[in-house]
RNA sequence: GGCGGGUUGGCGGAGAGGUUACGCAGCGGAUUGCAAAUCCGUGUAGACCGGUUCGAUUCCGGUACCCGCCUCCA
């Protein structure tokens, strides 16, 4: 069995992964707050932990992994969005959740086993909060319920901070009702017009952190294997989750392994609206950047390092994927062939590929291995390559490889009349070549190139494909 | 100020205490009427200063610079 090693933020070391229960490997990843389109940075953890999900399924069996990624649908940003747009909160969260799932699906992200909505777990949150009050880890003050950080000695262990240092930093909001400035809200009052639920402390809504503690416990148990998210969540979000869960479930650790992906930059700078380099996944898709290309770029830097999105990387990823899809297409890969290979026992992971990927999710290393594997000369020899590509989630559709490679056109892009016209021009060029009239042959090819049609001589004939700058309007004049 | 991460060849980007990362670009070659595509081959590294070691880009210490978090944020 492939040995998985993961960098554990909690111990700051790479450790051999040993699941609590190999029959049910459990992972929780912090999902989106649904108030707007997912930006590119949001996509990184979704893709990274999707690869981990796929790897775990590969190693432990598809039916033996439970992956939970929550939807935060109660939050002040959502309330603000509703207030400014005049729309209902439910409309906004429902629409945004749909967008998120669409966009992630376009990036080849599989649906997690469970996608709990915070609003569906209010009762569990209230129960957990009540328990924490009872055990002396939380207190009620002016309609709020706060977690008392001083009641949990290990507070700050994950992010390497001490309560004293943080207070010294003195950038915390000091509310008069807090016993300690670092105490954080688990429940707060909701005025009329804002989402609220009845609770022992009056009508209110949960703080941000409690939802993850409650939902993880409900769906994965008091102790589970992996908890993931962006490293900006390490403090305070994950620290607070740990505090709540540890105190609610004494004696067990919430998660065995904590994983954090590094942040994303754009052209060397932090993505921000003011710099004008802020964009959403949808923006890229609408510009015609295929989801697999975005995914490939996201995976070509190790998740633990800051990653820079650049135009150059986008172009290189596009070229690489096209080449790879063309190789598979040329060797007849289709869903049917994959199934045949599977039945013949030839649909196997390349051991080195799997080993590299299992080494703390080294996707860039795995991609490097794919370059080597791509040099196979027969379909069976390429099975490991195809399998690896699939494990990275880079094959959207085995039956559309030609199209994905840019060899065969997507029908909707190329008008019906183009085919016969191009074929006719190629036939005339073929005749010219046969007559050794190179000037005429080159003139015809230049004509096609000008319309963005790539001409490739193959043996005695020639094939064509619409290129990136394909423009039917130029051909229109030739009809 | 506190905590954490980084610095690899023209560019991107990995692993490993000693043996080719890999890709792109470049260069040379094969193929081609010429292109394109494809294939083969190939050069260039490890911020700086010390230490440990037979041997360090890889471990340890220090310096410089960069970045993130400490406030909603993936």
């Amino acid at each position: 069995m492939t040995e998985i090693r993961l960098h554990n933020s909690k111990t700051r070391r790479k450790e051999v992964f040993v699941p609590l229960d190999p029959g049910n490997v459990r992972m929780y990843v912090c999902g989106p707050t649904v108030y707007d389109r997912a930006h590119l940075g949001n996509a990184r953890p979704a893709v990274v932990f999707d690869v981990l999900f796929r790897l775990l399924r590969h190693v432990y069996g598809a039916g033996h992994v439970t992956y939970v990624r929550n939807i935060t649908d109660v939050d002040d940003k959502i309330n603000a969005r509703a207030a400014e747009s005049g729309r209902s909160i439910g409309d906004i969260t429902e629409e945004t959740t749909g967008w998120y799932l669409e966009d992630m699906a376009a990036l080849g992200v599989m649906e997690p086993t469970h996608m709990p909505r915070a609003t569906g777990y209010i009762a569990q949150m209230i129960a957990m909060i009540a328990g924490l009050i009872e055990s002396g880890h939380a207190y009620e003050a002016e309609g709020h319920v706060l977690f008392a950080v001083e009641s949990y000695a290990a507070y700050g262990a994950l992010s390497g901070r001490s309560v004293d240092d943080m207070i010294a930093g003195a950038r915390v909001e000091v509310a008069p009702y807090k016993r300690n400035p670092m105490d954080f809200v688990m429940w707060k009052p909701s005025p009329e017009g804002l989402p609220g639920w009845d609770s022992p402390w009056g009508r209110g809504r949960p703080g941000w952190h409690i939802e993850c503690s409650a939902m993880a416990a409900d769906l994965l148990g008091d102790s589970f294997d992996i908890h993931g998210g962006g490293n900006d969540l390490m403090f305070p979000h994950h620290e607070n989750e740990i505090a709540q869960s540890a105190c609610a479930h004494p004696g067990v650790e919430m998660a065995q392994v904590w994983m954090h992906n590094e942040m994303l930059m754009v052209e060397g700078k932090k993505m921000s609206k003011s710099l004008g380099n802020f964009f959403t996944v949808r923006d890229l898709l609408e510009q015609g950047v295929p989801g697999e290309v975005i995914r490939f770029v996201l995976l070509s830097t190790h998740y633990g390092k800051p990653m820079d999105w650049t135009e150059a990387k986008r172009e290189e990823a596009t070229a690489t994927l096209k080449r790879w899809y063309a190789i598979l297409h040329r060797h007849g890969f289709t869903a049917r062939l994959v199934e045949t290979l599977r039945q013949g026992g030839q649909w196997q992971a390349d051991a080195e590929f799997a080993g590299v990927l299992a080494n703390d999710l080294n996707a860039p290393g795995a991609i490097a291995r794919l370059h080597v594997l791509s040099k196979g000369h027969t379909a069976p020899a390429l099975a490991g390559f195809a399998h690896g590509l699939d494990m990275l989630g880079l094959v959207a559709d085995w039956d559309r490889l030609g199209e994905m490679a840019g060899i065969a056109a997507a029908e909707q892009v190329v008008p019906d009349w183009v085919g016969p016209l191009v074929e006719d021009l190629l036939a005339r060029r073929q005749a010219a070549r046969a007559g050794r009239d190179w000037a005429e042959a080159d003139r015809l090819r230049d004509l096609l190139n000008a319309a963005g049609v790539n001409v490739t001589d193959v043996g005695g004939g020639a094939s064509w494909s619409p290129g990136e700058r394909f423009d039917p309007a130029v051909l229109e004049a030739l009809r």
Side-chain angles (χ1 to χ4, degrees):
Chain A
M1 182 183 280
T2 306
E3 179 180 270
I4 297 177
R5 282 175 292 163
L6 301 171
H7 179 86
N8 189 350
S9 305
K10 197 165 67 180
T11 57
R12 301 193 178 92
R13 281 208 301 243
K14 203 188 281 187
E15 300 168 348
V16 173
F17 176 66
V18 182
L20 295 167
D21 172 10
N24 183 20
V25 181
R26 290 158 289 162
M27 170 163 77
Y28 186 97
V29 172
C30 291
T33 299
V34 284
Y35 69 103
D36 204 352
R37 281 278 185 191
H39 64 246
L40 195 57
N42 292 307
R44 174 123 98 141
V47 167
V48 161
F49 291 107
D50 177 62
V51 172
L52 181 54
F53 183 37
R54 289 167 187 262
L55 176 67
L56 292 169
R57 285 163 59 93
H58 170 72
V59 173
Y60 295 98
H64 300 288
V65 183
T66 305
Y67 174 25
V68 176
R69 189 187 62 206
N70 68 297
I71 302 278
T72 299
D73 61 352
V74 51
D75 180 274
D76 288 349
K77 286 192 292 290
I78 300 170
N79 300 340
R81 188 57 56 101
E84 75 194 26
S85 67
R87 301 177 60 201
S88 82
I89 284 166
D91 275 0
I92 289 173
T93 57
E94 194 178 328
E95 179 183 66
T96 313
T97 300
W99 284 346
Y100 182 79
L101 296 178
E102 264 171 46
D103 294 347
M104 293 309 115
L107 300 184
V109 174
M110 295 172 68
E111 289 212 348
T113 319
H114 303 287
M115 292 189 285
R117 270 83 168 157
T119 50
Y121 288 80
I122 300 293
Q124 288 88 335
M125 295 186 221
I126 289 175
M128 184 177 268
I129 294 168
L132 287 169
I133 292 176
E134 193 148 341
S135 57
H137 293 289
Y139 58 94
E140 185 184 358
E142 299 184 21
H144 295 67
V145 179
L146 293 120
F147 184 90
V149 296
E150 284 170 24
S151 76
Y152 177 57
Y155 189 76
L158 177 71
S159 55
R161 298 147 205 263
S162 75
V163 171
D164 290 346
D165 286 346
M166 288 186 279
I167 292 170
R171 282 219 256 173
V172 285
E173 176 201 357
V174 182
Y177 49 79
K178 287 187 181 180
R179 290 182 191 164
N180 183 302
M182 294 310 298
D183 289 351
F184 57 90
V185 170
M186 291 193 292
W187 190 264
K188 55 188 166 190
S190 262
E192 206 52 45
L194 284 183
W197 291 263
D198 289 328
S199 80
W201 321 286
R203 183 176 183 277
R205 59 191 196 277
W208 175 32
H209 318 296
I210 191 71
E211 66 173 86
C212 289
S213 289
M215 293 190 288
D218 193 81
L219 292 164
L220 297 176
D222 296 351
S223 184
F224 52 94
D225 296 297
I226 299 169
H227 190 130
N231 78 346
D232 53 339
L233 297 183
M234 201 147 133
F235 186 90
H237 185 54
H238 291 162
E239 201 73 74
N240 293 353
E241 274 186 52
I242 289 176
Q244 293 162 346
S245 295
C247 294
H249 313 297
V252 297
E253 284 197 274
M254 181 190 193
Q256 306 303 307
V257 181
W258 284 82
M259 292 178 70
H260 293 93
N261 61 277
E262 253 291 353
M263 297 292 100
L264 177 131
M265 330 248 292
V266 173
E267 302 289 350
K269 290 174 185 162
K270 182 173 175 166
M271 186 162 75
S272 77
K273 287 178 178 169
S274 59
L275 286 173
N277 63 353
F278 180 97
F279 48 86
T280 65
V281 171
R282 179 55 46 180
D283 290 337
L284 286 174
L285 293 171
E286 282 178 357
Q287 285 163 27
V289 183
E292 309 87 69
V293 168
I294 299 171
R295 184 177 176 102
F296 187 95
V297 173
L298 291 175
L299 291 177
S300 60
T301 296
H302 189 263
Y303 77 87
K305 287 193 173 179
M307 108 132 252
D308 196 12
W309 173 275
T310 65
E311 189 61 16
K313 282 184 183 172
R314 202 223 80 208
E315 284 169 11
E316 194 175 324
T318 303
T320 300
L321 284 174
K322 278 192 175 179
R323 193 168 354 108
W324 284 357
Y325 294 146
I327 288 168
L328 293 175
H329 181 65
R330 203 184 305 139
H331 288 88
F333 273 82
T334 57
R336 183 196 298 250
L337 177 64
V338 169
E339 189 49 38
T340 304
L341 289 167
R342 197 190 303 272
Q343 282 170 10
Q346 290 170 296
W347 188 244
Q348 303 264 333
D350 172 70
E352 187 172 329
F353 171 90
V356 169
L357 189 62
N359 181 11
D360 197 25
L361 221 56
N362 181 6
I367 287 172
R369 179 62 185 163
L370 288 185
H371 280 292
V372 175
L373 293 172
S374 74
K375 312 233 182 277
H377 292 297
T378 64
L382 285 163
F385 170 63
H387 188 282
L389 213 44
D390 192 44
M391 207 192 286
L392 291 182
L394 289 168
V395 182
D397 186 344
W398 289 106
D399 290 330
R400 282 180 49 242
L401 287 168
E403 191 180 314
M404 287 151 70
I407 293 168
E411 294 98 58
Q412 64 274 26
V413 186
V414 180
D416 290 342
W417 54 268
V418 167
L421 176 64
V422 172
E423 298 293 345
D424 179 53
L425 289 168
L426 285 179
R428 284 165 57 190
R429 173 166 173 271
Q430 194 53 38
R433 292 178 75 202
R436 305 186 71 79
D437 182 355
W438 309 126
E440 173 66 1
D442 289 348
R443 188 187 71 82
L444 288 165
R445 185 177 59 203
D446 291 345
L447 214 58
L448 288 164
N449 286 347
V453 176
N454 297 323
V455 175
T456 307
D457 290 337
V458 182
S463 73
W464 66 283
S465 62
E468 299 228 1
R469 295 213 225 120
F470 176 66
D471 182 5
V474 176
L475 289 171
E476 187 91 53
L478 303 174
R479 291 178 80 177

